[in-house]
Structures are given as C-alpha cells and as structure tokens.
Amino acid sequence: MVGAGRPKASSANSFLPACATGLALLGATTALYNRMTVRQLANTPATVIEPVTVCIPARNEADRLPDLIADLRAQVGIPRLSVRILDDASTDDTSAAARAAIGDDPRFTVLRTTGDPLPGWTGKTSACARLAEEVSTPVLIFLDADVRMAPTALAAAVTVLRRNTLALVSPWPLQVAGSAAEALVQPLLCWSWMSTLPIAAAERSLRPSTSVACGQFLVFDTARYHAIGGHTAVASSVTEDLEIARALRRAGARTTVVAAGRLARTRMYRDIAEVDAGYTRWLWSAYGGSAAGGTTVALLCACTYWIPPATALFGAGALRRTGALGYLAAVGGRLLARSTETGGPLTRIDVLSAVAHPVSIGAYLVLWTRSRRAHRRGTTRWKNRRLD
C-alpha cells in the first residue's frame, strides 16, 4: 500500500511544474510567431505627399524636448509637416527651451496652458485634446517629448498607415534602459503583448480586447480620430493610448502596432524612483481596473515564471528537467520579444535582464500592488498632479 501511493505523490508534485512549463512554452511560441510576423518600421526612402500634423504634449520637458524638436526638423520625405507643441502648465522652462530649439522654423507652433485640467480629465488627455481640436490635416501624429527618431521615421509610419488602410498605427519605440531597475522592468512592456497576443491575427480582428497601442508614438487617420471624439472619448483614462485604440475598433476601424526600434527609441524613466512613480500611476488600471482580474494575472505570472526555476533548482530527475525547460522557455520568450523590439542584435544587458526574468516578474508584482494601494487611497500622482 505504501509503494502504491508513491506514484500518486509524484504525479501531484509534478502537476504544477508541468502546467507552468506548458504556459511558459506557449508564451515563447507566441513570441516566436510575432518575431516572424510583426512588421518592422522600415528605414527605406518614402515620400508622404499629404499634409501631416505632429502634436506634442509637454509638461516639465525642458531637458528632453529640444532633442525631439531637432529630430523633427531633420525629418525627410514629409514636406508638408507642421508641429504643434503644448507646454502643459510646466513649472520649468519648457516653452523657452522649445522656442530656442525651433529657431525660425515656421512649421512649429508653441502653445501654453495654465492650471490643472478640468475635473474628469487627466493632464495628458486634456493636452492632447487641446492640441488636436484645430487639426484638419489628413494625418495626425502624437509624440511624447522623450521619443528620439531617425530622419525617416515619420514618413515610414505614415506609409504603413496608408498602405494598409488603417485608422491607427502605433509604432512601438525601443524602450531604452539606463539602470538596473529599468532593464528589469521596461522590457516587460513589449514582452507582455509579444508573449500573449498573435499580432498578425489581432490586426485582422476588430475585437477591442486584442488591440495594442503605445502612447509615445501614435499615427492616426485624422477623420477617424475625430469621428470617435478623439481624446475626449478617453478623457479620464490613465491608459489613453490603449483605450483610444479600443474605441476605434468598436467603431469598426482597424488598428495595429508595428515594431519601430530601428527608427525610434525612448527612455521613459531614468531611475528607480521614476520607474516606481511611473508604473504606480497607471498599473492599477490594467485588466480593466479589476482587482480580481489583476490578482488572477499576478498569480498566473508568479506560477508560470517562478515555479519552473524553483523546480529546476530544487527538484530532481524529470522534475528538474521540466523546470529547466520552463525557465529556458521564459528566457527565450523574453529574448524574442526584445529582439522584435530592437529590430537588431541584442546587447549584454538584454541577455542578463532576460536571464533575470523571475526577478522582473517579482518587480512587476510589487509595482502592481503599490499601484492598487495608491489608487485605492487616492494618492496616485504624476508630474506633481493628482490623478483621481
């Protein structure tokens, strides 16, 4: 009787590692599919004849905005370009820095607001709506001030929009990491959709739940943008990029994401404090803002990406091999996602951060917990503004 019970115990002990490894392999397979099928924004000559307006909401961006302005002044293949910059009640010299960088270039306009946004609006959605309200050019582009671009980036993005008859193209910039905290966390943004959503299939769908967008770089068909109400439709959202993509799909318009790492990059946060503040302000809203949904995803991530390495370390025989396979699948999926994001070779930091994937998952869980707590207490803030 004792001997008969042992196989059952062994089976029970191996069930969770096997399930976790299966999920990790599924994620890696999805990342591989996306690596082979996701469009890369191409650095090839293209000319956009139609007028294009770029809108840049900027709050306290005096140190980063001039570099973006220089990149915009250097754009090629887009002769009818105009740029609108909104200094959103900055407390630094954003307006002065912008004007100094613009010089006498007549394509640029600098606007300024004072005070906080109206109740029910976030600062960014309010600034974007203000910038876009007078735009009638066929193409409308939103850029964050920390984005850096190659000279062909805008023309390439508009070409993807028009050739594929889309309402929105979201070029995904390479997320640059300059510190250990950034290297652990920032690649998770791309990995999160690369390992869970087959983008080529999602592009053919109008299901809002399969949309992906990055608010750092958004390229709209202007008529479609205004038809859904623009940023007014997502006034209170802290993830306005994703919500506006979903609104377009609900209206029957097609959207997609393209990898833009060869032509665009950004360093969203610059140290561990900014990483903490940045994710705390919005991560609570993931999974529809549901605590139950977020908890379910958190537990699923913990099981999928913690159990296999633990089993590989402390298990034996077949169990250890199962755990090792799951861990290697997680690392492989992370590297595939990063490779898609960069559009080129990986760096030593990319490889090391992928090897530390279980630690990255732990950092994500800490940030999600902090974000939920801050939202529940009403203490979420960004750039010295309270986010209700």
Side-chain angles (χ1 to χ4, degrees):
M1 294 296 293
V2 174
R6 284 177 185 167
K8 283 189 175 182
S10 176
S11 175
N13 289 339
S14 64
F15 177 74
L16 278 178
C19 287
T21 293
L23 289 173
L25 285 168
L26 179 61
T29 302
T30 304
L32 176 61
Y33 172 80
N34 283 327
R35 181 67 184 89
M36 296 187 296
T37 57
V38 167
R39 289 190 188 93
Q40 288 282 345
L41 204 60
N43 189 18
T44 55
T47 300
V48 176
I49 301 301
E50 58 190 334
V52 174
T53 300
V54 171
C55 293
I56 306 168
R59 177 172 169 82
N60 296 339
E61 298 287 3
D63 58 337
R64 296 194 276 199
L65 187 56
D67 290 333
L68 175 58
I69 291 171
D71 289 347
L72 289 171
R73 296 184 69 179
Q75 292 298 297
V76 297
I78 193 159
R80 303 172 71 184
L81 174 68
S82 60
V83 181
R84 293 165 61 85
I85 300 168
L86 179 65
D87 177 352
D88 185 17
S90 297
T91 56
D92 65 2
D93 295 325
T94 292
S95 289
R99 291 191 175 92
I102 291 166
D104 58 357
D105 195 323
R107 298 174 297 173
F108 289 76
T109 302
V110 179
L111 308 171
R112 179 171 170 79
T113 60
T114 57
D116 291 330
L118 294 172
W121 289 75
T122 68
K124 185 172 183 180
T125 57
S126 177
C128 288
R130 166 80 184 275
L131 282 164
E133 62 187 6
E134 298 175 5
V135 173
S136 59
T137 56
V139 179
L140 172 62
I141 299 175
F142 289 94
L143 288 172
D144 280 359
D146 52 14
V147 173
R148 301 291 169 264
M149 296 186 299
T152 58
L154 291 187
V158 176
T159 298
V160 173
L161 179 81
R162 291 312 193 202
R163 283 184 179 172
N164 298 280
T165 321
L166 297 164
L168 167 64
V169 170
S170 179
W172 189 281
L174 170 63
Q175 303 296 318
V176 177
S179 68
E182 295 165 75
L184 284 173
V185 174
Q186 288 304 94
L188 291 178
L189 289 173
C190 183
W191 170 83
S192 66
W193 56 265
M194 277 283 296
S195 62
T196 57
L197 185 65
I199 295 300
E203 184 180 317
R204 296 190 292 271
S205 168
L206 291 178
R207 294 181 61 184
S209 61
T210 63
S211 55
V212 177
C214 177
Q216 297 161 337
F217 193 169
L218 297 172
V219 182
F220 289 95
D221 175 273
T222 306
R224 290 283 197 174
Y225 170 85
H226 286 306
I228 63 164
H231 278 81
T232 302
V234 295
S236 63
S237 177
V238 292
T239 52
E240 76 294 330
D241 46 5
L242 187 56
E243 292 303 324
I244 208 165
R246 289 172 175 171
L248 284 166
R249 289 196 170 190
R250 283 192 291 268
R254 294 173 60 229
T255 73
T256 197
V257 62
V258 297
R262 297 172 182 172
L263 301 184
R265 58 185 173 84
T266 181
R267 187 177 180 187
M268 187 188 302
Y269 307 123
R270 290 176 287 191
D271 53 39
I272 190 170
E274 286 194 4
V275 168
D276 180 48
Y279 282 94
T280 298
R281 72 184 168 95
W282 69 268
L283 202 52
W284 64 267
S285 67
Y287 326 112
S290 164
T295 300
T296 300
V297 172
L299 290 173
L300 191 62
C301 284
C303 289
T304 303
Y305 299 109
W306 283 353
I307 289 177
T311 304
L313 285 172
F314 303 111
L319 197 61
R320 170 171 286 181
R321 290 191 292 272
T322 298
L325 178 61
Y327 170 68
L328 291 175
V331 173
R334 174 80 171 253
L335 291 173
L336 285 164
R338 188 62 171 173
S339 175
T340 304
E341 186 177 15
T342 65
L346 297 174
T347 67
R348 179 173 174 270
I349 297 300
D350 293 331
V351 175
L352 290 175
S353 63
V355 170
H357 188 63
V359 181
S360 294
I361 295 299
Y364 155 75
L365 296 177
V366 170
L367 290 169
W368 182 80
T369 302
R370 287 174 59 80
S371 183
R372 287 296 314 177
R373 183 170 63 238
H375 177 64
R376 187 173 63 250
R377 295 175 177 176
T379 59
T380 50
R381 300 182 66 85
W382 183 242
K383 294 192 175 183
N384 299 318
R385 279 177 171 162
R386 180 177 173 178
L387 295 173
D388 293 327

